[in-house]
Amino acid sequence: MTELDPKAVVIRYVNAVIDGDLDVIRESFAEDATWHYPGDLPLSRVWTGRDAIVDDFLIGSGSLFAPGGAPKVTLVSVLADGDRVVAEWEADGTAAGGGHYANRCLGVFTVAQGRITSVKEYLDTKHAGEVLFPQQG
């Protein structure tokens, strides 16, 4: 496969999330990638390594949603400048506790050699906390 430009790598990744294509999701990340999830929630930390990002963070957060309530992701916009790509998406789903999760997120992705090497995500962590972790509020 020809190496994709950084913007195409991020679009391919987000489309894989939308389609539930775990193989493409996993191959989108460099082995030593990092994902910074902000705030003071149980998910908030710098996730380090492809396996931790995919298995523990992305797949693991699925347990926060009701069966069949996993968030529907919609890509809103993508801007690129060299190896940095900013993607905006909406996530709409039903939390395990029954609450409606509707968040608009922004990720600043860094891409090298056709793989995502880092993500800094920005979102409404207050909404995420209230809906996904109501027992802590």
Side-chain angles (χ1 to χ4, degrees), residues 31-42:
E31 192 172 323
D32 60 349
T34 59
W35 188 303
H36 180 268
Y37 192 89
D40 58 2
L41 303 172

Side-chain angles (χ1 to χ4, degrees), residues 55-75:
D55 298 330
D56 302 334
F57 174 56
L58 297 175
I59 295 173
S61 63
S63 66
L64 299 172
F65 295 91
K72 177 181 181 252
V73 173
T74 304
L75 186 60

Side-chain angles (χ1 to χ4, degrees), residues 7-87:
K7 184 176 181 180
V9 168
V10 172
I11 291 171
R12 180 175 182 254
Y13 162 72
V14 175
N15 285 332
V17 170
I18 291 167
D19 296 337
D21 188 337
L22 189 56
D23 290 337
V24 172
I25 291 169
R26 191 174 301 282
E27 72 183 40
S28 294
F29 288 95
E31 192 172 323
D32 60 349
T34 59
W35 188 303
H36 180 268
Y37 192 89
D40 58 2
L41 303 172
L43 293 175
S44 300
R45 68 178 63 100
V46 177
W47 296 87
T48 302
R50 175 181 49 223
D51 292 341
I53 291 168
V54 175
D55 298 330
D56 302 334
F57 174 56
L58 297 175
I59 295 173
S61 63
S63 66
L64 299 172
F65 295 91
K72 177 181 181 252
V73 173
T74 304
L75 186 60
V76 176
S77 66
V78 182
L79 301 170
D81 183 13
D83 66 351
R84 299 199 18 123
V85 180
V86 177

